[in-house]
Amino acid sequence: MFKIVKGHERIKEFFKTAVKTNRLHTTYLFKGREGIGKRLFAKIVAAAILCENRENAPCGKCRHCTKIKNHIENPETTTHLDLIEIRNPERKNEITVEEIEEILKTTNFPPYLGRARIFIIDNCHLMNKTAANMLLKTLEEPPANTYFFLITSKPDSLLPTILSRCQQVYFSTAGLENFINLSEITKEEIKAYLNSGSGFLTGLEDVKNIKKERESAMLILESITQKTSFIEIEKKITEKLEGNTREDNSRLFFILFTMLRDILSIKSNSKIINVEFKDKLEKIEKKLSPDFIFELLEIVKKIESGLYYNLKPVQLFSLIISEGRRIKL
Ligand SMILES: [Zn+2]
């Protein structure tokens, strides 16, 4: 099952041995840049802990492995009852004491299905002080058969008392792009996205979603420069955005920014991020002045904030197009 995560071979070996020889620590801190598979890795270690085949854990076949595998594929709909997660608090910017209390309640009971219970706290640096102290109490006297995986891209924001309780594991991005093989996106582009520090890549599965968002972003840019009928454009955008989550939409905004920056890069003969769209971007670049792009960047920035006020994404992106069309060429 470790194959699901690309790269990080040394960490894989470390955990395989630790599980086999029963030498796991109670608490691990997985640190490293966003989007390199830390959370996914924690889930696979969880499978290894729960797996019924100790010699070859995680076997990928027993009921625990199967459940966790299904959960990895469909995180919204399936779960393993002994794998408890706090995830995606990015938009809230805080993990509260109530949330920590809620998950720790389960430690009053033995695990439901397996021999242990595993907690994953993603973006653990977002715990406020009370929440962190509440967790600390449990980490100081961990209940039997309980494991914690704290995950962060900002270990410096954690309380030293929490850090001192954790066995720290650093996930490096070195060589990661070599393991990604998707036809829709080049390794170079993935590297550029990772290096952009946007933090919108929270797992390798996100990389696959980029394709859709890039097409939408391109459509928006082209719609500004081509004078096609607005009704037609709105229909196309509605289709593209259908079923998008808020995360998808904020990723779309991010890609829109990278494309606008790319147009400026083409003007100054520098490297661009969205290499796959080079031809299309060059076409747009010929039509637009740098002033136009700067003005458009400002507009996109302003309109993006509407996403956080729960305005309809279709309206926001349509607004970008209509405002963009009003800028003098
Ligand atoms: Zn198994």
Side-chain angles (χ1 to χ4, degrees):
M1 262 179 90
F2 272 112
K3 268 188 275 172
I4 300 175
V5 182
K6 312 290 180 198
H8 308 305
E9 298 306 325
R10 273 176 48 198
I11 309 178
K12 282 179 192 171
E13 282 314 308
F14 170 82
F15 276 103
K16 272 185 206 164
T17 315
V19 169
K20 213 186 232 176
T21 54
N22 223 347
R23 266 189 278 183
L24 273 178
H25 280 255
T26 308
T27 310
Y28 286 94
L29 176 72
F30 284 5
K31 56 183 183 178
R33 192 177 270 169
E34 292 269 2
I36 51 174
K38 300 186 295 296
R39 190 174 71 216
L40 181 60
F41 201 99
K43 287 180 185 175
I44 293 166
V45 178
I49 294 170
L50 294 165
C51 181
E52 284 167 358
N53 299 304
R54 308 297 309 143
E55 271 309 295
N56 188 27
C59 69
K61 294 186 186 99
C62 72
R63 61 192 179 121
H64 300 296
C65 289
T66 316
K67 271 212 158 75
I68 291 179
K69 244 161 99 178
N70 288 340
H71 162 72
I72 289 171
E73 280 160 23
N74 302 298
E76 307 305 330
T77 51
T78 59
T79 183
H80 186 296
L81 288 175
D82 294 323
L83 176 64
I84 296 163
E85 233 186 318
I86 292 187
R87 63 170 292 205
N88 275 340
E90 297 104 71
R91 294 276 164 255
K92 283 193 313 189
N93 287 321
E94 191 176 52
I95 299 174
T96 62
V97 70
E98 287 79 18
E99 283 170 280
I100 297 292
E101 232 167 10
E102 182 68 35
I103 63 160
L104 292 181
K105 254 190 222 161
T106 55
T107 58
N108 294 324
F109 310 100
Y112 294 107
L113 305 170
R115 49 182 211 96
R117 185 176 277 126
I118 295 107
F119 293 95
I120 297 179
I121 305 177
D122 199 6
N123 289 311
C124 64
H125 53 273
L126 295 179
M127 281 189 290
N128 63 29
K129 218 174 167 191
T130 348
N133 280 322
M134 161 72 86
L135 178 69
L136 187 62
K137 260 190 246 158
T138 308
L139 297 185
E140 280 167 348
E141 284 173 56
N145 303 324
T146 306
Y147 298 91
F148 291 89
F149 293 89
L150 309 185
I151 295 171
T152 187
S153 55
K154 298 183 180 117
D156 297 341
S157 322
L158 288 170
L159 291 179
T161 40
I162 293 268
L163 283 173
S164 69
R165 287 281 151 194
C166 301
Q167 178 91 353
Q168 300 190 25
V169 182
Y170 174 64
F171 285 71
S172 122
T173 49
L176 179 73
E177 65 283 356
N178 295 327
F179 294 99
I180 301 170
N181 192 9
L182 293 168
S183 54
E184 305 87 34
I185 186 158
T186 64
K187 285 171 191 171
E188 214 180 353
E189 285 170 295
I190 294 186
K191 209 172 172 182
Y193 281 135
L194 285 168
N195 287 339
S196 71
S198 65
F200 81 91
L201 278 173
T202 54
L204 288 180
E205 67 265 36
D206 288 338
V207 174
K208 293 180 196 152
N209 294 331
I210 291 174
K211 189 187 173 221
K212 208 180 104 205
E213 261 82 76
R214 295 211 300 178
E215 283 170 0
S216 305
M218 204 61 231
L219 173 72
I220 291 164
L221 284 181
E222 285 178 336
S223 303
I224 294 172
T225 52
Q226 299 163 353
K227 305 285 174 192
T228 17
S229 108
F230 207 80
I231 299 166
E232 208 173 292
I233 292 166
E234 210 158 38
K235 205 178 127 211
K236 270 196 201 161
I237 293 180
T238 313
E239 272 167 26
K240 288 239 186 256
L241 297 187
E242 214 168 35
N244 264 18
T245 62
R246 185 138 90 169
E247 264 183 342
D248 295 334
N249 290 322
S250 62
R251 186 164 42 223
L252 172 51
F253 266 106
F254 170 77
I255 290 176
L256 207 50
F257 283 122
T258 64
M259 286 188 169
L260 287 171
R261 256 185 294 173
D262 279 349
I263 296 176
L264 291 173
S265 302
I266 293 171
K267 286 196 184 296
S268 60
N269 280 324
S270 340
K271 260 191 160 179
I272 65 168
I273 291 184
N274 300 283
V275 187
E276 290 279 285
F277 289 85
K278 195 166 175 255
D279 292 348
K280 287 186 170 181
L281 290 169
E282 277 174 351
K283 252 187 217 158
I284 296 177
E285 183 267 332
K286 286 198 184 83
K287 291 186 193 168
L288 306 177
S289 69
D291 282 349
F292 186 103
I293 301 294
F294 283 123
E295 204 165 323
L296 193 55
L297 272 168
E298 283 304 311
I299 289 172
V300 177
K301 236 183 257 169
K302 229 179 260 165
I303 294 177
E304 188 194 17
S305 56
L307 202 58
Y308 303 106
Y309 300 113
N310 281 324
L311 296 182
K312 274 208 176 125
V314 178
Q315 290 166 342
L316 295 178
F317 290 110
S318 300
L319 192 59
I320 292 176
I321 297 169
S322 61
E323 287 293 304
R325 282 184 172 186
R326 282 168 52 187
I327 308 173
K328 288 210 178 70
L329 279 169

